[in-house]
Amino acid sequence: MQQRIPPASFAKLCRLERKLHQWAEHECNGVIQWDDDNTPRRYLPDQYGTPTRRGPVIPDRESRWLATAREIAEQCGGHIYHQGDPRGCQLYFYRDSDIEGHSYPIEQIYSTAALACC
C-alpha cells in the first residue's frame, strides 16, 4: 500500500476533513437540513435548543470542499472516499493500486485500504 503524498497536500486534505466533519455534525444534529430541492438550509434552535425553526438557505459548502479534495487527490495520483458519518474520519485517500486484488469496493474496505486524512 503506497500512500505517500506530499505533506502540504495531506495537510490541505486534513483541513478539508475537519470542515467536512463539522458539516456532518451539523447535519446529524439537525442544524443543517436539506430541502426537497436539494438545497441546504440552516435550522435555528427553539427555546429548548432543538433546531426546529426553519432558517436561511446556506451555500452547499460540502460539495465545494469535496470537489477541492478530489482535485488535490487527482494531483497526487489518487482518489478520495468520503465517509459521511460524524463519528469517524470523513476523508480517505487511496490509489487504484491500493484496492487491486480486493474483491470488495472501496466503500467496504476504506478503513484498511485507504489513508485516513484526519
Side-chain angles (χ1 to χ4, degrees):
M1 182 162 55
Q2 178 215 0
Q3 294 174 329
R4 291 184 178 244
I5 61 175
S9 297
F10 183 73
K12 288 177 188 175
L13 289 173
C14 289
R15 282 192 296 275
L16 289 168
E17 189 278 337
R18 285 190 291 276
K19 292 176 182 181
L20 287 164
H21 193 256
Q22 185 178 31
W23 182 278
E25 285 176 352
H26 288 320
E27 279 186 330
C28 185
N29 293 330
V31 175
I32 295 175
Q33 298 179 27
W34 293 83
D35 288 345
D36 292 336
D37 62 350
N38 235 7
T39 304
R41 181 179 295 275
R42 184 168 302 280
Y43 275 68
L44 306 171
D46 60 11
Q47 70 265 23
Y48 303 107
T50 305
T52 56
R53 294 183 302 144
R54 191 173 180 178
V57 171
I58 59 174
D60 183 3
R61 293 183 183 108
E62 180 185 42
S63 295
R64 188 181 71 214
W65 294 329
L66 286 171
T68 303
R70 285 187 189 101
E71 288 175 13
I72 294 168
E74 287 176 16
Q75 292 169 0
C76 298
H79 309 282
I80 286 295
Y81 175 72
H82 174 234
Q83 187 278 121
D85 189 333
R87 294 175 292 182
C89 187
Q90 297 287 304
L91 286 181
Y92 291 83
F93 174 83
Y94 69 97
R95 293 189 175 98
D96 291 333
S97 60
D98 296 330
I99 58 174
E100 284 177 5
H102 290 280
S103 56
Y104 298 102
I106 190 65
E107 293 84 7
Q108 296 178 4
I109 60 171
Y110 66 88
S111 62
T112 57
L115 174 66
C117 300
C118 52

